[in-house]
Amino acid sequence: MRSWDLDGEAVRAMCAEAPAFGLAIAVWVGLVVTDRLHASRIVLMDLYAPHGSGGLT
């Protein structure tokens, strides 16, 4: 897993100046959040789902 440290004000300014860059950042962050939420769901299903409750979607 990687960690990124960004200057939030600078990134927001760049996004305001270049909408295509802002869209790329939004998509990238969205993909990271989606991936992490999916991984968390799998862990929680493994912990709390009844045995033999079926596969994950």
Side-chain angles (χ1 to χ4, degrees):
M1 182 173 4
R2 291 184 180 190
S3 175
W4 297 87
D5 183 20
L6 303 172
D7 180 355
E9 289 183 29
V11 172
R12 282 190 296 275
M14 288 187 282
C15 290
E17 292 173 13
F21 175 73
L23 178 62
I25 292 292
V27 169
W28 173 60
V29 169
L31 290 172
V32 170
V33 169
T34 301
D35 185 54
R36 292 188 182 178
L37 285 172
H38 183 69
S40 296
R41 178 180 181 267
I42 290 171
V43 169
L44 290 172
M45 289 295 290
D46 286 344
L47 289 174
Y48 297 110
H51 180 70
S53 63
L56 297 174
T57 56

mmCIF file of all heavy atoms in Angstrom:
data_model
loop_
_atom_site.group_PDB
_atom_site.id
_atom_site.type_symbol
_atom_site.label_atom_id
_atom_site.label_comp_id
_atom_site.label_asym_id
_atom_site.label_seq_id
_atom_site.Cartn_x
_atom_site.Cartn_y
_atom_site.Cartn_z
ATOM 1 N N MET A 1 0.851 -1.171 0.000
ATOM 2 C CA MET A 1 0.000 0.000 0.000
ATOM 3 C C MET A 1 0.897 1.234 0.000
ATOM 4 O O MET A 1 1.926 1.271 0.647
ATOM 5 C CB MET A 1 -0.919 0.009 1.220
ATOM 6 C CG MET A 1 -1.817 1.178 1.208
ATOM 7 S SD MET A 1 -3.146 1.360 2.439
ATOM 8 C CE MET A 1 -3.025 0.054 3.539
ATOM 9 N N ARG A 2 0.464 2.237 -0.743
ATOM 10 C CA ARG A 2 1.222 3.485 -0.823
ATOM 11 C C ARG A 2 0.475 4.596 -0.113
ATOM 12 O O ARG A 2 -0.738 4.551 0.032
ATOM 13 C CB ARG A 2 1.421 3.891 -2.272
ATOM 14 C CG ARG A 2 2.342 2.979 -3.014
ATOM 15 C CD ARG A 2 2.559 3.502 -4.391
ATOM 16 N NE ARG A 2 3.453 2.581 -5.082
ATOM 17 C CZ ARG A 2 3.990 2.820 -6.225
ATOM 18 N NH1 ARG A 2 3.738 3.934 -6.850
ATOM 19 N NH2 ARG A 2 4.787 1.953 -6.781
ATOM 20 N N SER A 3 1.207 5.582 0.275
ATOM 21 C CA SER A 3 0.623 6.752 0.914
ATOM 22 C C SER A 3 1.125 7.993 0.178
ATOM 23 O O SER A 3 2.301 8.090 -0.167
ATOM 24 C CB SER A 3 1.056 6.800 2.382
ATOM 25 O OG SER A 3 0.599 7.980 2.977
ATOM 26 N N TRP A 4 0.221 8.911 -0.069
ATOM 27 C CA TRP A 4 0.571 10.151 -0.747
ATOM 28 C C TRP A 4 0.280 11.319 0.178
ATOM 29 O O TRP A 4 -0.764 11.372 0.814
ATOM 30 C CB TRP A 4 -0.253 10.307 -2.030
ATOM 31 C CG TRP A 4 0.010 9.230 -3.030
ATOM 32 C CD1 TRP A 4 -0.609 8.019 -3.100
ATOM 33 C CD2 TRP A 4 0.975 9.238 -4.061
ATOM 34 N NE1 TRP A 4 -0.100 7.286 -4.131
ATOM 35 C CE2 TRP A 4 0.882 8.012 -4.748
ATOM 36 C CE3 TRP A 4 1.910 10.171 -4.499
ATOM 37 C CZ2 TRP A 4 1.684 7.696 -5.834
ATOM 38 C CZ3 TRP A 4 2.695 9.849 -5.582
ATOM 39 C CH2 TRP A 4 2.584 8.634 -6.230
ATOM 40 N N ASP A 5 1.204 12.241 0.232
ATOM 41 C CA ASP A 5 1.037 13.452 1.024
ATOM 42 C C ASP A 5 0.978 14.619 0.046
ATOM 43 O O ASP A 5 1.959 14.891 -0.657
ATOM 44 C CB ASP A 5 2.209 13.606 1.993
ATOM 45 C CG ASP A 5 2.062 14.811 2.900
ATOM 46 O OD1 ASP A 5 0.926 15.299 3.068
ATOM 47 O OD2 ASP A 5 3.084 15.258 3.444
ATOM 48 N N LEU A 6 -0.182 15.267 -0.039
ATOM 49 C CA LEU A 6 -0.367 16.349 -0.998
ATOM 50 C C LEU A 6 -0.721 17.645 -0.284
ATOM 51 O O LEU A 6 -1.360 17.637 0.761
ATOM 52 C CB LEU A 6 -1.501 16.003 -1.973
ATOM 53 C CG LEU A 6 -1.351 14.708 -2.752
ATOM 54 C CD1 LEU A 6 -2.625 14.410 -3.521
ATOM 55 C CD2 LEU A 6 -0.170 14.786 -3.692
ATOM 56 N N ASP A 7 -0.316 18.748 -0.878
ATOM 57 C CA ASP A 7 -0.702 20.070 -0.394
ATOM 58 C C ASP A 7 -2.103 20.350 -0.918
ATOM 59 O O ASP A 7 -2.297 20.607 -2.107
ATOM 60 C CB ASP A 7 0.292 21.109 -0.901
ATOM 61 C CG ASP A 7 -0.032 22.526 -0.451
ATOM 62 O OD1 ASP A 7 -1.090 22.732 0.187
ATOM 63 O OD2 ASP A 7 0.765 23.425 -0.741
ATOM 64 N N GLY A 8 -3.100 20.241 -0.044
ATOM 65 C CA GLY A 8 -4.494 20.361 -0.444
ATOM 66 C C GLY A 8 -4.814 21.674 -1.146
ATOM 67 O O GLY A 8 -5.525 21.688 -2.161
ATOM 68 N N GLU A 9 -4.295 22.778 -0.643
ATOM 69 C CA GLU A 9 -4.576 24.075 -1.262
ATOM 70 C C GLU A 9 -4.000 24.138 -2.669
ATOM 71 O O GLU A 9 -4.652 24.641 -3.593
ATOM 72 C CB GLU A 9 -4.027 25.195 -0.397
ATOM 73 C CG GLU A 9 -4.801 25.395 0.890
ATOM 74 C CD GLU A 9 -4.261 26.564 1.699
ATOM 75 O OE1 GLU A 9 -3.707 27.510 1.094
ATOM 76 O OE2 GLU A 9 -4.404 26.523 2.926
ATOM 77 N N ALA A 10 -2.794 23.625 -2.840
ATOM 78 C CA ALA A 10 -2.164 23.641 -4.161
ATOM 79 C C ALA A 10 -2.921 22.751 -5.140
ATOM 80 O O ALA A 10 -3.129 23.125 -6.299
ATOM 81 C CB ALA A 10 -0.706 23.198 -4.057
ATOM 82 N N VAL A 11 -3.346 21.580 -4.688
ATOM 83 C CA VAL A 11 -4.103 20.680 -5.565
ATOM 84 C C VAL A 11 -5.433 21.306 -5.959
ATOM 85 O O VAL A 11 -5.829 21.261 -7.133
ATOM 86 C CB VAL A 11 -4.314 19.302 -4.890
ATOM 87 C CG1 VAL A 11 -5.252 18.429 -5.708
ATOM 88 C CG2 VAL A 11 -2.976 18.596 -4.696
ATOM 89 N N ARG A 12 -6.136 21.913 -5.004
ATOM 90 C CA ARG A 12 -7.407 22.585 -5.324
ATOM 91 C C ARG A 12 -7.193 23.712 -6.329
ATOM 92 O O ARG A 12 -7.993 23.897 -7.258
ATOM 93 C CB ARG A 12 -8.072 23.108 -4.058
ATOM 94 C CG ARG A 12 -8.780 22.029 -3.268
ATOM 95 C CD ARG A 12 -9.638 22.612 -2.156
ATOM 96 N NE ARG A 12 -8.850 23.308 -1.138
ATOM 97 C CZ ARG A 12 -8.277 22.707 -0.094
ATOM 98 N NH1 ARG A 12 -8.393 21.406 0.068
ATOM 99 N NH2 ARG A 12 -7.598 23.402 0.784
ATOM 100 N N ALA A 13 -6.115 24.470 -6.182
ATOM 101 C CA ALA A 13 -5.824 25.558 -7.119
ATOM 102 C C ALA A 13 -5.550 25.000 -8.514
ATOM 103 O O ALA A 13 -6.034 25.541 -9.514
ATOM 104 C CB ALA A 13 -4.635 26.377 -6.619
ATOM 105 N N MET A 14 -4.773 23.909 -8.590
ATOM 106 C CA MET A 14 -4.490 23.295 -9.887
ATOM 107 C C MET A 14 -5.763 22.745 -10.520
ATOM 108 O O MET A 14 -5.942 22.836 -11.745
ATOM 109 C CB MET A 14 -3.440 22.193 -9.741
ATOM 110 C CG MET A 14 -2.044 22.719 -9.473
ATOM 111 S SD MET A 14 -0.777 21.428 -9.490
ATOM 112 C CE MET A 14 -1.032 20.700 -7.889
ATOM 113 N N CYS A 15 -6.643 22.182 -9.711
ATOM 114 C CA CYS A 15 -7.910 21.661 -10.227
ATOM 115 C C CYS A 15 -8.777 22.793 -10.769
ATOM 116 O O CYS A 15 -9.462 22.631 -11.790
ATOM 117 C CB CYS A 15 -8.665 20.896 -9.137
ATOM 118 S SG CYS A 15 -7.900 19.339 -8.680
ATOM 119 N N ALA A 16 -8.759 23.938 -10.101
ATOM 120 C CA ALA A 16 -9.539 25.084 -10.562
ATOM 121 C C ALA A 16 -8.980 25.637 -11.874
ATOM 122 O O ALA A 16 -9.730 26.074 -12.741
ATOM 123 C CB ALA A 16 -9.551 26.167 -9.487
ATOM 124 N N GLU A 17 -7.660 25.603 -12.016
ATOM 125 C CA GLU A 17 -7.016 26.116 -13.231
ATOM 126 C C GLU A 17 -7.166 25.165 -14.410
ATOM 127 O O GLU A 17 -7.233 25.607 -15.560
ATOM 128 C CB GLU A 17 -5.533 26.371 -12.976
ATOM 129 C CG GLU A 17 -5.256 27.516 -12.029
ATOM 130 C CD GLU A 17 -3.777 27.632 -11.679
ATOM 131 O OE1 GLU A 17 -2.946 26.997 -12.358
ATOM 132 O OE2 GLU A 17 -3.462 28.348 -10.720
ATOM 133 N N ALA A 18 -7.180 23.872 -14.148
ATOM 134 C CA ALA A 18 -7.220 22.871 -15.217
ATOM 135 C C ALA A 18 -8.300 21.834 -14.895
ATOM 136 O O ALA A 18 -8.037 20.869 -14.181
ATOM 137 C CB ALA A 18 -5.861 22.198 -15.367
ATOM 138 N N PRO A 19 -9.517 22.031 -15.395
ATOM 139 C CA PRO A 19 -10.619 21.107 -15.091
ATOM 140 C C PRO A 19 -10.319 19.649 -15.465
ATOM 141 O O PRO A 19 -10.754 18.747 -14.765
ATOM 142 C CB PRO A 19 -11.785 21.661 -15.901
ATOM 143 C CG PRO A 19 -11.481 23.112 -16.073
ATOM 144 C CD PRO A 19 -9.986 23.179 -16.178
ATOM 145 N N ALA A 20 -9.561 19.421 -16.524
ATOM 146 C CA ALA A 20 -9.225 18.041 -16.901
ATOM 147 C C ALA A 20 -8.356 17.392 -15.820
ATOM 148 O O ALA A 20 -8.516 16.205 -15.503
ATOM 149 C CB ALA A 20 -8.510 18.006 -18.251
ATOM 150 N N PHE A 21 -7.458 18.168 -15.258
ATOM 151 C CA PHE A 21 -6.635 17.667 -14.158
ATOM 152 C C PHE A 21 -7.510 17.365 -12.945
ATOM 153 O O PHE A 21 -7.361 16.322 -12.292
ATOM 154 C CB PHE A 21 -5.557 18.692 -13.793
ATOM 155 C CG PHE A 21 -4.736 18.307 -12.591
ATOM 156 C CD1 PHE A 21 -3.791 17.297 -12.663
ATOM 157 C CD2 PHE A 21 -4.919 18.960 -11.383
ATOM 158 C CE1 PHE A 21 -3.035 16.945 -11.553
ATOM 159 C CE2 PHE A 21 -4.174 18.618 -10.264
ATOM 160 C CZ PHE A 21 -3.228 17.605 -10.360
ATOM 161 N N GLY A 22 -8.446 18.257 -12.662
ATOM 162 C CA GLY A 22 -9.362 18.052 -11.536
ATOM 163 C C GLY A 22 -10.184 16.792 -11.711
ATOM 164 O O GLY A 22 -10.393 16.034 -10.757
ATOM 165 N N LEU A 23 -10.651 16.554 -12.930
ATOM 166 C CA LEU A 23 -11.407 15.335 -13.204
ATOM 167 C C LEU A 23 -10.538 14.097 -12.996
ATOM 168 O O LEU A 23 -10.982 13.112 -12.395
ATOM 169 C CB LEU A 23 -11.959 15.358 -14.627
ATOM 170 C CG LEU A 23 -12.725 14.116 -15.060
ATOM 171 C CD1 LEU A 23 -13.954 13.901 -14.187
ATOM 172 C CD2 LEU A 23 -13.107 14.219 -16.526
ATOM 173 N N ALA A 24 -9.306 14.149 -13.468
ATOM 174 C CA ALA A 24 -8.398 13.011 -13.295
ATOM 175 C C ALA A 24 -8.146 12.724 -11.817
ATOM 176 O O ALA A 24 -8.135 11.558 -11.395
ATOM 177 C CB ALA A 24 -7.075 13.272 -14.017
ATOM 178 N N ILE A 25 -7.960 13.768 -11.035
ATOM 179 C CA ILE A 25 -7.753 13.596 -9.590
ATOM 180 C C ILE A 25 -9.005 13.005 -8.951
ATOM 181 O O ILE A 25 -8.928 12.081 -8.128
ATOM 182 C CB ILE A 25 -7.376 14.940 -8.926
ATOM 183 C CG1 ILE A 25 -6.007 15.401 -9.383
ATOM 184 C CG2 ILE A 25 -7.438 14.843 -7.401
ATOM 185 C CD1 ILE A 25 -4.847 14.548 -8.902
ATOM 186 N N ALA A 26 -10.177 13.513 -9.321
ATOM 187 C CA ALA A 26 -11.431 13.014 -8.744
ATOM 188 C C ALA A 26 -11.639 11.541 -9.067
ATOM 189 O O ALA A 26 -12.042 10.759 -8.207
ATOM 190 C CB ALA A 26 -12.601 13.846 -9.238
ATOM 191 N N VAL A 27 -11.359 11.157 -10.304
ATOM 192 C CA VAL A 27 -11.506 9.753 -10.701
ATOM 193 C C VAL A 27 -10.513 8.891 -9.929
ATOM 194 O O VAL A 27 -10.863 7.822 -9.420
ATOM 195 C CB VAL A 27 -11.328 9.591 -12.224
ATOM 196 C CG1 VAL A 27 -11.202 8.132 -12.614
ATOM 197 C CG2 VAL A 27 -12.483 10.246 -12.955
ATOM 198 N N TRP A 28 -9.277 9.336 -9.811
ATOM 199 C CA TRP A 28 -8.249 8.585 -9.098
ATOM 200 C C TRP A 28 -8.647 8.383 -7.634
ATOM 201 O O TRP A 28 -8.602 7.254 -7.120
ATOM 202 C CB TRP A 28 -6.914 9.324 -9.200
ATOM 203 C CG TRP A 28 -5.805 8.749 -8.382
ATOM 204 C CD1 TRP A 28 -5.271 7.490 -8.475
ATOM 205 C CD2 TRP A 28 -5.094 9.406 -7.338
ATOM 206 N NE1 TRP A 28 -4.264 7.344 -7.559
ATOM 207 C CE2 TRP A 28 -4.125 8.499 -6.847
ATOM 208 C CE3 TRP A 28 -5.167 10.678 -6.788
ATOM 209 C CZ2 TRP A 28 -3.259 8.832 -5.812
ATOM 210 C CZ3 TRP A 28 -4.287 10.996 -5.767
ATOM 211 C CH2 TRP A 28 -3.352 10.077 -5.292
ATOM 212 N N VAL A 29 -9.073 9.448 -6.979
ATOM 213 C CA VAL A 29 -9.478 9.342 -5.572
ATOM 214 C C VAL A 29 -10.698 8.434 -5.441
ATOM 215 O O VAL A 29 -10.773 7.596 -4.540
ATOM 216 C CB VAL A 29 -9.754 10.741 -4.970
ATOM 217 C CG1 VAL A 29 -10.421 10.642 -3.612
ATOM 218 C CG2 VAL A 29 -8.455 11.527 -4.867
ATOM 219 N N GLY A 30 -11.640 8.573 -6.357
ATOM 220 C CA GLY A 30 -12.822 7.719 -6.328
ATOM 221 C C GLY A 30 -12.483 6.246 -6.464
ATOM 222 O O GLY A 30 -13.065 5.397 -5.772
ATOM 223 N N LEU A 31 -11.542 5.927 -7.338
ATOM 224 C CA LEU A 31 -11.130 4.530 -7.504
ATOM 225 C C LEU A 31 -10.456 3.988 -6.247
ATOM 226 O O LEU A 31 -10.686 2.842 -5.852
ATOM 227 C CB LEU A 31 -10.202 4.390 -8.708
ATOM 228 C CG LEU A 31 -10.863 4.584 -10.073
ATOM 229 C CD1 LEU A 31 -9.799 4.627 -11.175
ATOM 230 C CD2 LEU A 31 -11.875 3.493 -10.341
ATOM 231 N N VAL A 32 -9.633 4.812 -5.623
ATOM 232 C CA VAL A 32 -8.965 4.383 -4.385
ATOM 233 C C VAL A 32 -9.999 4.137 -3.286
ATOM 234 O O VAL A 32 -9.960 3.109 -2.601
ATOM 235 C CB VAL A 32 -7.924 5.434 -3.928
ATOM 236 C CG1 VAL A 32 -7.408 5.122 -2.530
ATOM 237 C CG2 VAL A 32 -6.767 5.498 -4.915
ATOM 238 N N VAL A 33 -10.938 5.056 -3.127
ATOM 239 C CA VAL A 33 -11.973 4.910 -2.096
ATOM 240 C C VAL A 33 -12.818 3.663 -2.368
ATOM 241 O O VAL A 33 -13.113 2.880 -1.454
ATOM 242 C CB VAL A 33 -12.847 6.178 -2.008
ATOM 243 C CG1 VAL A 33 -14.070 5.945 -1.141
ATOM 244 C CG2 VAL A 33 -12.025 7.337 -1.486
ATOM 245 N N THR A 34 -13.215 3.468 -3.630
ATOM 246 C CA THR A 34 -14.008 2.293 -3.995
ATOM 247 C C THR A 34 -13.269 1.005 -3.678
ATOM 248 O O THR A 34 -13.846 0.068 -3.113
ATOM 249 C CB THR A 34 -14.363 2.339 -5.496
ATOM 250 O OG1 THR A 34 -15.103 3.526 -5.751
ATOM 251 C CG2 THR A 34 -15.170 1.137 -5.915
ATOM 252 N N ASP A 35 -12.000 0.955 -4.024
ATOM 253 C CA ASP A 35 -11.201 -0.244 -3.766
ATOM 254 C C ASP A 35 -11.105 -0.531 -2.267
ATOM 255 O O ASP A 35 -11.260 -1.671 -1.824
ATOM 256 C CB ASP A 35 -9.809 -0.073 -4.372
ATOM 257 C CG ASP A 35 -8.971 -1.322 -4.255
ATOM 258 O OD1 ASP A 35 -9.442 -2.399 -4.695
ATOM 259 O OD2 ASP A 35 -7.841 -1.235 -3.728
ATOM 260 N N ARG A 36 -10.890 0.502 -1.481
ATOM 261 C CA ARG A 36 -10.764 0.305 -0.030
ATOM 262 C C ARG A 36 -12.093 -0.085 0.612
ATOM 263 O O ARG A 36 -12.126 -0.912 1.529
ATOM 264 C CB ARG A 36 -10.176 1.544 0.614
ATOM 265 C CG ARG A 36 -8.730 1.724 0.191
ATOM 266 C CD ARG A 36 -8.037 2.802 0.922
ATOM 267 N NE ARG A 36 -6.672 2.937 0.423
ATOM 268 C CZ ARG A 36 -5.821 3.831 0.852
ATOM 269 N NH1 ARG A 36 -6.186 4.675 1.790
ATOM 270 N NH2 ARG A 36 -4.617 3.893 0.357
ATOM 271 N N LEU A 37 -13.182 0.497 0.146
ATOM 272 C CA LEU A 37 -14.487 0.113 0.679
ATOM 273 C C LEU A 37 -14.818 -1.335 0.329
ATOM 274 O O LEU A 37 -15.363 -2.079 1.153
ATOM 275 C CB LEU A 37 -15.582 1.038 0.145
ATOM 276 C CG LEU A 37 -15.633 2.431 0.755
ATOM 277 C CD1 LEU A 37 -16.630 3.299 -0.005
ATOM 278 C CD2 LEU A 37 -15.990 2.370 2.228
ATOM 279 N N HIS A 38 -14.487 -1.741 -0.879
ATOM 280 C CA HIS A 38 -14.726 -3.129 -1.279
ATOM 281 C C HIS A 38 -13.898 -4.093 -0.418
ATOM 282 O O HIS A 38 -14.413 -5.118 0.042
ATOM 283 C CB HIS A 38 -14.392 -3.310 -2.759
ATOM 284 C CG HIS A 38 -14.679 -4.670 -3.272
ATOM 285 N ND1 HIS A 38 -15.959 -5.160 -3.426
ATOM 286 C CD2 HIS A 38 -13.853 -5.669 -3.651
ATOM 287 C CE1 HIS A 38 -15.901 -6.394 -3.882
ATOM 288 N NE2 HIS A 38 -14.626 -6.729 -4.027
ATOM 289 N N ALA A 39 -12.640 -3.751 -0.184
ATOM 290 C CA ALA A 39 -11.788 -4.601 0.653
ATOM 291 C C ALA A 39 -12.344 -4.673 2.079
ATOM 292 O O ALA A 39 -12.349 -5.751 2.695
ATOM 293 C CB ALA A 39 -10.358 -4.060 0.668
ATOM 294 N N SER A 40 -12.833 -3.550 2.600
ATOM 295 C CA SER A 40 -13.419 -3.546 3.947
ATOM 296 C C SER A 40 -14.678 -4.405 3.999
ATOM 297 O O SER A 40 -14.907 -5.126 4.968
ATOM 298 C CB SER A 40 -13.773 -2.121 4.372
ATOM 299 O OG SER A 40 -12.612 -1.344 4.473
ATOM 300 N N ARG A 41 -15.477 -4.339 2.952
ATOM 301 C CA ARG A 41 -16.701 -5.151 2.895
ATOM 302 C C ARG A 41 -16.360 -6.638 2.933
ATOM 303 O O ARG A 41 -17.011 -7.417 3.639
ATOM 304 C CB ARG A 41 -17.484 -4.827 1.629
ATOM 305 C CG ARG A 41 -18.737 -5.656 1.473
ATOM 306 C CD ARG A 41 -19.470 -5.269 0.181
ATOM 307 N NE ARG A 41 -20.677 -6.043 0.030
ATOM 308 C CZ ARG A 41 -20.752 -7.187 -0.657
ATOM 309 N NH1 ARG A 41 -19.689 -7.656 -1.262
ATOM 310 N NH2 ARG A 41 -21.882 -7.841 -0.735
ATOM 311 N N ILE A 42 -15.350 -7.031 2.182
ATOM 312 C CA ILE A 42 -14.949 -8.443 2.163
ATOM 313 C C ILE A 42 -14.503 -8.895 3.551
ATOM 314 O O ILE A 42 -14.886 -9.959 4.023
ATOM 315 C CB ILE A 42 -13.850 -8.675 1.106
ATOM 316 C CG1 ILE A 42 -14.458 -8.530 -0.286
ATOM 317 C CG2 ILE A 42 -13.210 -10.042 1.273
ATOM 318 C CD1 ILE A 42 -13.454 -8.527 -1.408
ATOM 319 N N VAL A 43 -13.713 -8.057 4.217
ATOM 320 C CA VAL A 43 -13.252 -8.406 5.565
ATOM 321 C C VAL A 43 -14.444 -8.542 6.509
ATOM 322 O O VAL A 43 -14.535 -9.503 7.289
ATOM 323 C CB VAL A 43 -12.250 -7.351 6.087
ATOM 324 C CG1 VAL A 43 -11.984 -7.544 7.568
ATOM 325 C CG2 VAL A 43 -10.964 -7.402 5.297
ATOM 326 N N LEU A 44 -15.373 -7.595 6.446
ATOM 327 C CA LEU A 44 -16.538 -7.653 7.330
ATOM 328 C C LEU A 44 -17.418 -8.854 7.021
ATOM 329 O O LEU A 44 -17.960 -9.489 7.936
ATOM 330 C CB LEU A 44 -17.345 -6.364 7.231
ATOM 331 C CG LEU A 44 -16.666 -5.141 7.847
ATOM 332 C CD1 LEU A 44 -17.451 -3.879 7.521
ATOM 333 C CD2 LEU A 44 -16.494 -5.305 9.337
ATOM 334 N N MET A 45 -17.577 -9.184 5.748
ATOM 335 C CA MET A 45 -18.362 -10.361 5.391
ATOM 336 C C MET A 45 -17.696 -11.629 5.934
ATOM 337 O O MET A 45 -18.373 -12.537 6.412
ATOM 338 C CB MET A 45 -18.533 -10.456 3.877
ATOM 339 C CG MET A 45 -19.462 -9.411 3.304
ATOM 340 S SD MET A 45 -21.156 -9.571 3.851
ATOM 341 C CE MET A 45 -21.639 -11.047 3.000
ATOM 342 N N ASP A 46 -16.375 -11.693 5.855
ATOM 343 C CA ASP A 46 -15.664 -12.850 6.396
ATOM 344 C C ASP A 46 -15.854 -12.962 7.900
ATOM 345 O O ASP A 46 -15.935 -14.057 8.453
ATOM 346 C CB ASP A 46 -14.172 -12.764 6.076
ATOM 347 C CG ASP A 46 -13.843 -13.071 4.624
ATOM 348 O OD1 ASP A 46 -14.714 -13.640 3.921
ATOM 349 O OD2 ASP A 46 -12.725 -12.748 4.190
ATOM 350 N N LEU A 47 -15.928 -11.825 8.582
ATOM 351 C CA LEU A 47 -16.058 -11.838 10.042
ATOM 352 C C LEU A 47 -17.476 -12.112 10.517
ATOM 353 O O LEU A 47 -17.683 -12.823 11.501
ATOM 354 C CB LEU A 47 -15.596 -10.494 10.623
ATOM 355 C CG LEU A 47 -14.104 -10.195 10.569
ATOM 356 C CD1 LEU A 47 -13.846 -8.780 11.044
ATOM 357 C CD2 LEU A 47 -13.333 -11.181 11.423
ATOM 358 N N TYR A 48 -18.483 -11.514 9.829
ATOM 359 C CA TYR A 48 -19.824 -11.510 10.379
ATOM 360 C C TYR A 48 -20.878 -12.264 9.584
ATOM 361 O O TYR A 48 -21.990 -12.450 10.063
ATOM 362 C CB TYR A 48 -20.302 -10.066 10.574
ATOM 363 C CG TYR A 48 -19.448 -9.321 11.570
ATOM 364 C CD1 TYR A 48 -18.600 -8.302 11.180
ATOM 365 C CD2 TYR A 48 -19.484 -9.666 12.913
ATOM 366 C CE1 TYR A 48 -17.807 -7.625 12.087
ATOM 367 C CE2 TYR A 48 -18.697 -9.003 13.837
ATOM 368 C CZ TYR A 48 -17.867 -7.985 13.423
ATOM 369 O OH TYR A 48 -17.095 -7.329 14.331
ATOM 370 N N ALA A 49 -20.584 -12.676 8.357
ATOM 371 C CA ALA A 49 -21.584 -13.392 7.563
ATOM 372 C C ALA A 49 -21.789 -14.790 8.126
ATOM 373 O O ALA A 49 -20.855 -15.444 8.577
ATOM 374 C CB ALA A 49 -21.147 -13.465 6.111
ATOM 375 N N PRO A 50 -23.022 -15.250 8.087
ATOM 376 C CA PRO A 50 -23.276 -16.624 8.534
ATOM 377 C C PRO A 50 -22.515 -17.626 7.650
ATOM 378 O O PRO A 50 -22.340 -17.388 6.463
ATOM 379 C CB PRO A 50 -24.782 -16.806 8.360
ATOM 380 C CG PRO A 50 -25.340 -15.465 8.138
ATOM 381 C CD PRO A 50 -24.235 -14.580 7.674
ATOM 382 N N HIS A 51 -22.061 -18.687 8.246
ATOM 383 C CA HIS A 51 -21.313 -19.708 7.499
ATOM 384 C C HIS A 51 -22.162 -20.246 6.358
ATOM 385 O O HIS A 51 -23.328 -20.586 6.543
ATOM 386 C CB HIS A 51 -20.904 -20.844 8.440
ATOM 387 C CG HIS A 51 -20.133 -21.916 7.755
ATOM 388 N ND1 HIS A 51 -18.850 -21.702 7.309
ATOM 389 C CD2 HIS A 51 -20.454 -23.186 7.427
ATOM 390 C CE1 HIS A 51 -18.422 -22.823 6.729
ATOM 391 N NE2 HIS A 51 -19.381 -23.727 6.794
ATOM 392 N N GLY A 52 -21.587 -20.291 5.152
ATOM 393 C CA GLY A 52 -22.280 -20.821 4.001
ATOM 394 C C GLY A 52 -23.322 -19.884 3.430
ATOM 395 O O GLY A 52 -24.247 -20.324 2.750
ATOM 396 N N SER A 53 -23.173 -18.570 3.654
ATOM 397 C CA SER A 53 -24.184 -17.632 3.200
ATOM 398 C C SER A 53 -24.059 -17.287 1.714
ATOM 399 O O SER A 53 -24.828 -16.505 1.201
ATOM 400 C CB SER A 53 -24.143 -16.357 4.025
ATOM 401 O OG SER A 53 -22.893 -15.710 3.863
ATOM 402 N N GLY A 54 -23.075 -17.823 1.036
ATOM 403 C CA GLY A 54 -22.943 -17.573 -0.406
ATOM 404 C C GLY A 54 -21.738 -16.728 -0.738
ATOM 405 O O GLY A 54 -21.007 -16.269 0.122
ATOM 406 N N GLY A 55 -21.568 -16.523 -2.039
ATOM 407 C CA GLY A 55 -20.428 -15.767 -2.523
ATOM 408 C C GLY A 55 -20.654 -14.265 -2.466
ATOM 409 O O GLY A 55 -21.765 -13.787 -2.246
ATOM 410 N N LEU A 56 -19.584 -13.530 -2.654
ATOM 411 C CA LEU A 56 -19.642 -12.078 -2.659
ATOM 412 C C LEU A 56 -19.892 -11.588 -4.075
ATOM 413 O O LEU A 56 -19.490 -12.208 -5.041
ATOM 414 C CB LEU A 56 -18.333 -11.484 -2.156
ATOM 415 C CG LEU A 56 -17.974 -11.827 -0.716
ATOM 416 C CD1 LEU A 56 -16.588 -11.287 -0.408
ATOM 417 C CD2 LEU A 56 -18.984 -11.229 0.231
ATOM 418 N N THR A 57 -20.549 -10.463 -4.155
ATOM 419 C CA THR A 57 -20.787 -9.848 -5.473
ATOM 420 C C THR A 57 -20.005 -8.583 -5.594
ATOM 421 O O THR A 57 -19.615 -7.977 -4.672
ATOM 422 C CB THR A 57 -22.283 -9.532 -5.701
ATOM 423 O OG1 THR A 57 -22.736 -8.699 -4.644
ATOM 424 C CG2 THR A 57 -23.078 -10.814 -5.776
#
